[in-house]
Amino acid sequence: EHCLSELSAAAELRRYERGDLIASPDGEVRVVLAVISGYMLARRIDAVGARSSFDVIGPGQVVELTPALGVQDNSEFDYVAHSDAVIARIPAPALLHVLETDPSLWKDALRMALREQREAFDGLIDRFVGGLRQRLTATIDRLATLHGVSEGAKQSLRLRLTQEDLAAMLQVSRQSINRELQSLHRCGVVSPDYNSLTILDRGALRAAAGRSAHVN
């Protein structure tokens, strides 16, 4: 309880509107971000500073824990609000101080960091292994698992997911994404809308992604 109190005193709870910048590598203090409500978009920053959509982060997810623990690599990301969102911002120095005060917490912190890395790795496999149809359906299926809301026999994604977002994640043109989505629509797998998707046949979607049709 005393660790939570100390961390809460150092953290900030902020509200963001869609499109607002939440965090960037240019910040003076590195922060861990925990999504309370809404969604944010992680954008990868390349060597010349260009941004491209990388992943959608939703309620209950925590990011930037690994670098906060001192594990650095060459990847840089910033985060923008993908919808109206409430985000908890935890300064990395405050988190490290709590962990040093109670070393027993390091085990759980490292498990969370490993889970964050594993989820990022799984997302990369979905986006870059296989043909475009497999990569697209695997990415949609993963987002449905994380953020989908069941509507009877259907499952729609609870977020604004545009064709531009998917194209950036898969590093292909929007026209290529549109052709694949229209083909999947004709097969009765998904129903694309202006800024969302409705999954009509989850089993067929998973089969196209090269996965078992069974959904836990």
Side-chain angles (χ1 to χ4, degrees):
E1 185 176 351
H2 74 278
C3 291
L4 284 175
S5 297
E6 182 176 341
L7 208 57
S8 297
E12 291 182 285
L13 198 64
R14 293 188 187 176
R15 297 181 182 274
Y16 297 89
E17 295 182 355
R18 176 175 167 81
D20 288 348
L21 179 65
I22 295 173
S24 74
D26 302 327
E28 294 182 2
V29 178
R30 186 174 289 278
V31 293
V32 175
L33 303 172
V35 181
I36 307 303
S37 66
Y39 296 88
M40 62 183 184
L41 186 66
R43 303 186 303 185
R44 188 177 184 277
I45 306 172
D46 66 18
V48 297
R51 268 77 168 165
S52 59
S53 300
F54 183 80
D55 205 358
V56 176
I57 313 298
Q61 290 185 274
V62 177
V63 296
E64 293 295 300
L65 179 60
T66 302
L69 297 179
V71 180
Q72 304 295 334
D73 57 30
N74 295 324
S75 300
E76 287 195 335
F77 298 88
D78 69 5
Y79 300 87
V80 296
H82 199 54
S83 67
D84 292 349
V86 177
I87 309 294
R89 300 168 55 92
I90 306 169
L95 176 61
L96 288 173
H97 178 71
V98 167
L99 293 176
E100 291 167 358
T101 301
D102 188 347
S104 66
L105 297 176
W106 268 102
K107 184 177 181 179
D108 289 333
L110 290 174
R111 282 176 172 167
M112 287 186 67
L114 288 170
R115 184 166 62 247
E116 177 186 321
Q117 290 293 300
R118 179 56 186 265
E119 289 173 355
F121 182 68
D122 287 345
L124 286 173
I125 291 176
D126 286 343
R127 291 194 291 276
F128 296 112
V129 175
L132 179 55
R133 173 69 61 90
Q134 179 180 347
R135 292 158 54 202
L136 175 61
T137 51
T139 298
I140 293 172
D141 182 60
R142 184 177 65 86
L143 291 173
T145 299
L146 291 172
H147 311 305
V149 176
S150 296
E151 296 180 349
K154 302 177 182 178
Q155 186 175 51
S156 60
L157 296 180
R158 296 183 304 170
L159 73 165
R160 295 175 179 176
L161 188 68
T162 67
Q163 294 183 18
E164 287 80 5
D165 292 332
L166 286 168
M169 290 179 190
L170 299 174
Q171 296 188 8
V172 297
S173 69
R174 188 193 65 80
Q175 291 77 10
S176 297
I177 294 295
N178 181 264
R179 285 194 297 269
E180 289 294 338
L181 288 177
Q182 292 304 322
S183 177
L184 290 168
H185 187 199
R186 289 191 295 271
C187 295
V189 179
V190 301
S191 177
D193 200 350
Y194 174 69
N195 59 5
S196 64
L197 284 172
T198 299
I199 299 171
L200 304 176
D201 188 336
R202 188 75 185 276
L205 179 77
R206 293 180 64 84
R211 295 172 172 167
S212 168
H214 175 70
V215 181
N216 291 327

